[in-house]
Amino acid sequence: MSRPDYPTLIPLFDELRGERVIVRSYRESDAQDLYEAVAESRDHIRPWLPFADAHQAVAETSDWIIQQMAKWLLREDLIVGVWEAATNRYLGGSGMHPHDWQGGYFEIGYWLRASAEGHGYITEAVQLQTDYAFTSLKAQRVEIRCDELNIRSAAVARRLGFVQEACVRNHKITHDGQLRNTLIFALIPSDR
């Protein structure tokens, strides 16, 4: 399989637009919206995400966004925000993490602000990214990982047809010191 020698030259999307969501990389002007969404959702996301206690000030969030913009340009990490198409309300974050550009191996992660859960937004956002990975980036493997107890996150992977390949036991220590299992879901081209 042939891939560019220079990942920075791989063209990426400006935005992915679905029926109800828009997925795009962060801009500096998104800092206030991201800060507010994390503040609203700290207790909600803390069991699953290590950044739940970050973003304590808009300046901290601005710094984080600038770092993500640099990683996007370097193709080190493709972190995106998810917005409601009809209202432009910030809903949460997602992203494709390239594990191996040459082998076409990516991982998708995601979170939603507490008030946006249960409406299918993240399912649509992950579907858009998955389709993009296979069609535009010629992915050979797209993976989703989540805590075994994160029922909602696992449901997104299952809804989109990802195959559960493993339950990695005693894999992560949570914010409260508990040892937990991680589920690994994946899609390869023949699954689609």
Coordinates of all heavy atoms in Angstrom, one line a residue, residues 49-116:
L49 N -12.9 10.1 31.0 CA -11.9 11.0 30.3 C -10.9 11.7 31.2 O -11.3 12.3 32.1 CB -12.6 12.0 29.4 CG -13.5 11.4 28.3 CD1 -14.4 12.5 27.7 CD2 -12.7 10.7 27.3
P50 N -9.6 11.6 30.9 CA -8.6 12.2 31.8 C -8.6 13.7 31.8 O -8.1 14.3 32.7 CB -7.3 11.6 31.2 CG -7.6 11.2 29.9 CD -9.0 10.8 29.8
F51 N -9.2 14.3 30.8 CA -9.2 15.8 30.7 C -10.4 16.4 31.5 O -10.5 17.7 31.4 CB -9.2 16.3 29.3 CG -10.4 16.1 28.5 CD1 -11.5 17.0 28.6 CD2 -10.6 15.0 27.7 CE1 -12.7 16.8 27.9 CE2 -11.8 14.8 27.0 CZ -12.8 15.8 27.1
A52 N -11.2 15.7 32.2 CA -12.3 16.2 32.9 C -12.0 17.4 33.8 O -12.8 18.3 34.0 CB -13.1 15.1 33.6
D53 N -10.8 17.3 34.4 CA -10.5 18.4 35.4 C -9.6 19.5 34.7 O -9.1 20.3 35.4 CB -9.9 17.8 36.6 CG -10.9 17.0 37.4 OD1 -12.0 17.5 37.6 OD2 -10.6 15.9 37.8
A54 N -9.3 19.4 33.4 CA -8.6 20.4 32.7 C -9.6 21.5 32.3 O -10.8 21.4 32.6 CB -7.9 19.8 31.5
H55 N -9.1 22.4 31.5 CA -10.0 23.5 31.0 C -10.6 24.3 32.2 O -11.8 24.5 32.2 CB -11.1 23.0 30.0 CG -10.5 22.3 28.9 ND1 -10.0 22.9 27.8 CD2 -10.3 20.9 28.6 CE1 -9.5 22.0 26.9 NE2 -9.7 20.8 27.4
Q56 N -9.8 24.7 33.1 CA -10.3 25.4 34.3 C -10.4 26.9 34.0 O -11.0 27.7 34.8 CB -9.4 25.2 35.5 CG -9.4 23.8 36.0 CD -10.7 23.4 36.7 OE1 -11.4 24.3 37.2 NE2 -11.1 22.1 36.6
A57 N -9.9 27.4 32.9 CA -9.9 28.8 32.5 C -10.0 28.8 31.0 O -9.4 27.9 30.3 CB -8.7 29.5 33.0
V58 N -10.6 29.8 30.4 CA -10.6 30.0 29.0 C -9.2 30.1 28.4 O -9.0 29.5 27.3 CB -11.5 31.2 28.6 CG1 -11.5 31.4 27.1 CG2 -12.9 31.1 29.1
A59 N -8.3 30.7 29.1 CA -6.9 30.8 28.6 C -6.3 29.4 28.4 O -5.6 29.1 27.5 CB -6.1 31.6 29.5
E60 N -6.6 28.5 29.4 CA -6.1 27.1 29.3 C -6.7 26.4 28.1 O -6.0 25.7 27.4 CB -6.4 26.4 30.6 CG -6.0 24.9 30.6 CD -6.4 24.2 31.9 OE1 -7.1 24.7 32.7 OE2 -6.1 23.0 31.9
T61 N -7.9 26.6 27.9 CA -8.6 26.0 26.7 C -8.0 26.6 25.4 O -7.8 25.8 24.5 CB -10.1 26.2 26.8 OG1 -10.6 25.7 28.0 CG2 -10.9 25.6 25.7
S62 N -7.8 27.9 25.4 CA -7.2 28.5 24.2 C -5.8 27.9 23.9 O -5.5 27.6 22.7 CB -7.0 30.0 24.4 OG -8.3 30.6 24.4
D63 N -5.0 27.7 24.9 CA -3.7 27.1 24.7 C -3.9 25.6 24.2 O -3.1 25.2 23.3 CB -3.0 27.1 26.1 CG -1.6 26.4 26.0 OD1 -0.7 27.0 25.3 OD2 -1.4 25.3 26.5
W64 N -4.8 24.9 24.8 CA -5.0 23.5 24.3 C -5.4 23.5 22.8 O -4.9 22.7 22.0 CB -6.1 22.9 25.2 CG -6.4 21.5 24.8 CD1 -5.8 20.3 25.2 CD2 -7.4 21.0 23.8 NE1 -6.3 19.2 24.6 CE2 -7.3 19.6 23.8 CE3 -8.4 21.7 23.1 CZ2 -8.1 18.8 22.9 CZ3 -9.2 20.9 22.3 CH2 -9.1 19.5 22.2
I65 N -6.3 24.4 22.4 CA -6.7 24.5 21.0 C -5.6 24.8 20.1 O -5.4 24.1 19.0 CB -7.9 25.5 20.8 CG1 -9.2 25.0 21.4 CG2 -8.1 25.9 19.4 CD1 -10.3 26.0 21.4
I66 N -4.7 25.7 20.5 CA -3.6 26.0 19.6 C -2.7 24.8 19.5 O -2.1 24.5 18.4 CB -2.8 27.2 20.2 CG1 -3.7 28.5 20.0 CG2 -1.4 27.4 19.6 CD1 -3.2 29.7 20.8
Q67 N -2.5 24.1 20.6 CA -1.7 22.8 20.5 C -2.3 21.8 19.5 O -1.6 21.2 18.7 CB -1.5 22.2 21.9 CG -0.6 23.1 22.7 CD -0.4 22.5 24.1 OE1 -0.2 21.2 24.2 NE2 -0.5 23.3 25.1
Q68 N -3.7 21.7 19.6 CA -4.4 20.8 18.7 C -4.3 21.2 17.2 O -4.1 20.4 16.3 CB -5.8 20.6 19.1 CG -6.0 20.1 20.5 CD -5.1 18.9 20.8 OE1 -5.1 17.9 20.1 NE2 -4.4 19.0 21.9
M69 N -4.3 22.5 17.0 CA -4.1 23.1 15.7 C -2.8 22.7 15.1 O -2.6 22.3 13.9 CB -4.3 24.6 15.7 CG -5.8 25.0 16.0 SD -6.0 26.8 16.3 CE -5.6 27.5 14.7
A70 N -1.7 22.8 15.9 CA -0.4 22.4 15.5 C -0.3 20.9 15.2 O 0.3 20.5 14.1 CB 0.6 22.8 16.6
K71 N -0.9 20.1 16.0 CA -0.9 18.6 15.8 C -1.7 18.3 14.5 O -1.3 17.4 13.7 CB -1.5 17.9 17.0 CG -0.6 17.9 18.2 CD -1.3 17.3 19.4 CE -0.4 17.4 20.6 NZ -1.0 16.8 21.8
W72 N -2.7 19.1 14.2 CA -3.5 18.9 13.0 C -2.6 19.2 11.8 O -2.6 18.4 10.8 CB -4.7 19.8 13.0 CG -5.6 19.7 11.8 CD1 -5.4 20.4 10.6 CD2 -6.8 19.0 11.6 NE1 -6.4 20.1 9.7 CE2 -7.3 19.2 10.3 CE3 -7.5 18.1 12.4 CZ2 -8.4 18.7 9.8 CZ3 -8.7 17.5 11.9 CH2 -9.1 17.8 10.6
L73 N -1.9 20.3 11.8 CA -1.0 20.7 10.7 C 0.1 19.6 10.4 O 0.4 19.3 9.3 CB -0.4 22.0 10.9 CG -1.3 23.2 10.8 CD1 -0.6 24.5 11.2 CD2 -1.8 23.4 9.3
L74 N 0.6 19.1 11.5 CA 1.6 18.1 11.4 C 1.1 16.7 11.2 O 1.9 15.7 11.0 CB 2.5 18.1 12.7 CG 3.3 19.4 13.0 CD1 3.9 19.4 14.4 CD2 4.3 19.5 11.9
R75 N -0.2 16.5 11.2 CA -0.9 15.2 11.0 C -0.6 14.3 12.1 O -0.6 13.0 12.0 CB -0.6 14.6 9.7 CG -0.9 15.5 8.4 CD -2.2 16.1 8.4 NE -2.6 16.7 7.1 CZ -2.7 18.0 6.9 NH1 -2.5 18.9 7.9 NH2 -3.0 18.4 5.7
E76 N -0.3 14.8 13.3 CA 0.0 13.9 14.5 C -1.2 13.5 15.2 O -1.3 12.4 15.7 CB 0.9 14.7 15.5 CG 2.3 15.0 15.0 CD 3.1 15.8 15.9 OE1 2.6 16.3 16.9 OE2 4.3 16.1 15.6
D77 N -2.3 14.3 15.2 CA -3.5 14.0 15.8 C -4.6 14.9 15.1 O -4.3 16.0 14.8 CB -3.5 14.3 17.3 CG -4.4 13.3 18.1 OD1 -5.0 12.5 17.5 OD2 -4.4 13.5 19.3
L78 N -5.7 14.3 14.8 CA -6.8 15.0 14.1 C -8.0 15.2 15.0 O -9.0 14.6 14.8 CB -7.2 14.2 12.8 CG -6.0 13.7 11.9 CD1 -6.5 12.9 10.8 CD2 -5.2 14.9 11.5
I79 N -7.8 16.1 15.9 CA -8.9 16.4 16.9 C -9.9 17.4 16.3 O -9.5 18.4 15.7 CB -8.2 16.9 18.2 CG1 -7.2 16.0 18.8 CG2 -9.3 17.3 19.2 CD1 -7.8 14.6 19.2
V80 N -11.1 17.1 16.5 CA -12.2 17.9 16.0 C -13.3 18.2 17.0 O -13.4 17.5 18.0 CB -12.9 17.2 14.8 CG1 -11.9 17.0 13.6 CG2 -13.5 15.9 15.2
G81 N -14.0 19.2 16.7 CA -15.2 19.6 17.5 C -16.4 19.1 16.7 O -16.4 19.0 15.5
V82 N -17.5 19.0 17.4 CA -18.8 18.6 16.8 C -19.8 19.7 17.2 O -20.0 20.0 18.3 CB -19.3 17.2 17.4 CG1 -20.6 16.8 16.7 CG2 -18.2 16.1 17.2
W83 N -20.4 20.2 16.1 CA -21.4 21.3 16.3 C -22.8 20.8 15.7 O -22.8 20.1 14.7 CB -21.0 22.5 15.5 CG -19.9 23.3 16.2 CD1 -20.1 24.4 17.0 CD2 -18.5 23.1 16.3 NE1 -18.9 24.8 17.5 CE2 -17.9 24.0 17.1 CE3 -17.7 22.1 15.7 CZ2 -16.6 24.1 17.3 CZ3 -16.3 22.1 15.9 CH2 -15.8 23.1 16.7
E84 N -23.8 21.3 16.3 CA -25.2 21.1 15.8 C -25.3 21.9 14.5 O -25.1 23.1 14.6 CB -26.2 21.4 16.8 CG -27.6 21.1 16.4 CD -28.6 21.3 17.5 OE1 -28.5 22.3 18.2 OE2 -29.6 20.5 17.6
A85 N -25.7 21.3 13.4 CA -25.7 22.0 12.1 C -26.8 23.1 12.1 O -26.6 24.2 11.6 CB -26.0 21.0 11.0
A86 N -27.9 22.9 12.7 CA -29.0 23.8 12.7 C -28.8 25.1 13.5 O -29.2 26.2 13.2 CB -30.3 23.2 13.2
T87 N -28.1 24.9 14.6 CA -27.9 26.1 15.6 C -26.5 26.5 15.8 O -26.2 27.6 16.4 CB -28.4 25.7 17.0 OG1 -27.6 24.6 17.5 CG2 -29.9 25.2 16.9
N88 N -25.5 25.7 15.3 CA -24.1 26.0 15.5 C -23.7 25.9 17.0 O -22.7 26.4 17.4 CB -23.6 27.3 14.9 CG -22.1 27.3 14.6 OD1 -21.6 26.3 14.2 ND2 -21.4 28.4 14.8
R89 N -24.5 25.2 17.8 CA -24.2 24.9 19.2 C -23.1 23.9 19.3 O -23.1 22.8 18.6 CB -25.4 24.4 19.9 CG -25.1 24.1 21.4 CD -26.4 23.6 22.1 NE -26.2 23.3 23.5 CZ -26.5 22.1 24.0 NH1 -27.1 21.2 23.3 NH2 -26.2 21.9 25.3
Y90 N -22.1 24.2 20.1 CA -21.0 23.2 20.3 C -21.5 22.0 21.2 O -22.1 22.2 22.2 CB -19.8 23.9 21.1 CG -18.7 22.9 21.3 CD1 -17.8 22.5 20.3 CD2 -18.5 22.4 22.6 CE1 -16.8 21.6 20.6 CE2 -17.5 21.5 22.9 CZ -16.6 21.1 21.9 OH -15.6 20.2 22.1
L91 N -21.3 20.8 20.7 CA -21.9 19.6 21.3 C -20.8 18.8 22.0 O -21.2 18.1 23.0 CB -22.6 18.7 20.2 CG -23.7 19.4 19.4 CD1 -24.1 18.5 18.3 CD2 -24.9 19.7 20.3
G92 N -19.6 18.8 21.5 CA -18.6 17.9 22.1 C -17.4 17.8 21.2 O -17.3 18.5 20.2
G93 N -16.6 16.8 21.6 CA -15.3 16.6 20.8 C -15.2 15.2 20.3 O -15.8 14.3 20.8
S94 N -14.3 15.1 19.3 CA -14.0 13.8 18.8 C -12.6 13.9 18.1 O -11.9 14.8 18.4 CB -15.1 13.4 17.7 OG -14.9 12.1 17.3
G95 N -12.3 12.9 17.3 CA -11.0 13.0 16.6 C -10.6 11.6 16.2 O -11.0 10.6 16.7
M96 N -9.7 11.7 15.1 CA -9.1 10.5 14.6 C -7.6 10.6 15.0 O -6.9 11.5 14.7 CB -9.2 10.4 13.1 CG -10.6 10.1 12.6 SD -10.6 9.7 10.9 CE -10.3 11.3 10.2
H97 N -7.2 9.5 15.7 CA -5.8 9.4 16.1 C -5.1 8.5 15.2 O -5.4 7.3 15.2 CB -5.7 8.9 17.6 CG -6.7 9.6 18.5 ND1 -6.6 10.9 18.8 CD2 -7.8 9.1 19.1 CE1 -7.6 11.3 19.6 NE2 -8.3 10.2 19.8
P98 N -4.2 9.0 14.4 CA -3.4 8.1 13.5 C -2.4 7.3 14.2 O -1.5 7.9 14.8 CB -2.8 9.1 12.5 CG -3.0 10.5 12.9 CD -3.8 10.4 14.2
H99 N -2.6 6.0 14.2 CA -1.6 5.1 14.9 C -0.5 4.8 13.9 O 0.6 4.5 14.3 CB -2.3 3.9 15.4 CG -3.0 4.1 16.7 ND1 -2.5 4.3 17.9 CD2 -4.4 4.2 16.9 CE1 -3.4 4.5 18.8 NE2 -4.6 4.4 18.2
D100 N -0.9 4.7 12.6 CA 0.1 4.3 11.6 C -0.4 4.8 10.2 O -1.3 4.2 9.6 CB 0.2 2.7 11.6 CG 1.2 2.2 10.5 OD1 1.7 3.0 9.7 OD2 1.4 1.0 10.5
W101 N 0.1 5.9 9.7 CA -0.3 6.4 8.4 C 0.0 5.4 7.3 O -0.8 5.2 6.4 CB 0.4 7.7 8.1 CG -0.2 8.9 8.8 CD1 0.3 9.6 9.9 CD2 -1.4 9.6 8.5 NE1 -0.5 10.6 10.2 CE2 -1.6 10.6 9.4 CE3 -2.4 9.4 7.5 CZ2 -2.6 11.5 9.3 CZ3 -3.4 10.2 7.4 CH2 -3.6 11.3 8.3
Q102 N 1.1 4.7 7.3 CA 1.5 3.8 6.3 C 0.6 2.6 6.2 O 0.1 2.2 5.2 CB 3.0 3.3 6.5 CG 4.0 4.3 6.2 CD 4.1 4.7 4.8 OE1 3.7 4.0 3.9 NE2 4.5 6.0 4.5
G103 N 0.2 2.1 7.4 CA -0.7 1.0 7.5 C -2.2 1.3 7.4 O -3.0 0.4 7.4
G104 N -2.5 2.6 7.5 CA -3.9 3.0 7.5 C -4.7 2.6 8.7 O -5.8 2.2 8.7
Y105 N -4.0 2.8 9.9 CA -4.6 2.4 11.2 C -4.9 3.7 12.0 O -4.0 4.5 12.3 CB -3.6 1.5 11.9 CG -3.9 1.2 13.3 CD1 -5.2 1.2 13.9 CD2 -2.9 0.8 14.1 CE1 -5.4 0.8 15.2 CE2 -3.1 0.5 15.5 CZ -4.3 0.5 16.0 OH -4.5 0.2 17.3
F106 N -6.2 3.9 12.3 CA -6.7 5.0 13.0 C -7.6 4.6 14.2 O -8.2 3.6 14.1 CB -7.5 6.0 12.1 CG -6.8 6.4 10.9 CD1 -6.8 5.7 9.7 CD2 -6.0 7.6 10.9 CE1 -6.0 6.1 8.6 CE2 -5.3 8.0 9.8 CZ -5.3 7.3 8.7
E107 N -7.6 5.5 15.2 CA -8.6 5.3 16.3 C -9.4 6.5 16.4 O -8.9 7.6 16.3 CB -7.8 5.1 17.6 CG -8.6 4.9 18.8 CD -7.8 4.8 20.1 OE1 -6.6 4.5 20.1 OE2 -8.4 4.9 21.2
I108 N -10.7 6.3 16.7 CA -11.6 7.4 16.9 C -12.1 7.5 18.3 O -12.5 6.4 18.9 CB -12.9 7.3 15.9 CG1 -12.4 7.4 14.5 CG2 -13.9 8.4 16.2 CD1 -13.6 7.2 13.5
G109 N -12.0 8.6 18.9 CA -12.5 8.9 20.2 C -13.6 9.9 20.2 O -13.6 10.7 19.2
Y110 N -14.3 10.0 21.3 CA -15.4 11.0 21.3 C -16.0 11.2 22.7 O -15.8 10.4 23.6 CB -16.6 10.6 20.4 CG -16.9 9.1 20.5 CD1 -17.8 8.6 21.4 CD2 -16.3 8.2 19.6 CE1 -18.2 7.3 21.5 CE2 -16.6 6.8 19.7 CZ -17.6 6.4 20.7 OH -17.8 5.1 20.8
W111 N -16.6 12.4 22.8 CA -17.3 12.8 24.0 C -18.4 13.8 23.7 O -18.3 14.5 22.7 CB -16.4 13.3 25.1 CG -15.8 14.6 24.9 CD1 -14.8 14.9 24.1 CD2 -16.3 15.9 25.3 NE1 -14.5 16.3 24.0 CE2 -15.5 16.9 24.8 CE3 -17.4 16.3 26.2 CZ2 -15.7 18.2 25.1 CZ3 -17.6 17.6 26.4 CH2 -16.7 18.6 25.9
L112 N -19.4 13.8 24.5 CA -20.5 14.8 24.3 C -20.7 15.6 25.6 O -20.6 15.0 26.7 CB -21.8 14.2 23.9 CG -22.0 13.9 22.4 CD1 -23.4 13.2 22.2 CD2 -21.9 15.2 21.6
R113 N -21.1 16.8 25.5 CA -21.5 17.6 26.7 C -22.8 16.9 27.2 O -23.6 16.3 26.5 CB -21.7 19.0 26.4 CG -22.9 19.4 25.5 CD -23.0 20.8 25.0 NE -22.8 21.8 26.1 CZ -22.4 23.0 25.9 NH1 -22.1 23.4 24.7 NH2 -22.4 23.8 26.9
A114 N -23.0 17.0 28.5 CA -24.1 16.2 29.2 C -25.4 16.6 28.6 O -26.3 15.7 28.3 CB -24.1 16.6 30.7
S115 N -25.7 17.8 28.2 CA -27.0 18.2 27.7 C -27.2 17.8 26.3 O -28.3 18.0 25.8 CB -27.2 19.7 27.8 OG -26.2 20.4 27.1
A116 N -26.2 17.2 25.6 CA -26.4 16.8 24.2 C -26.5 15.3 24.0 O -26.8 14.9 22.9 CB -25.2 17.4 23.4

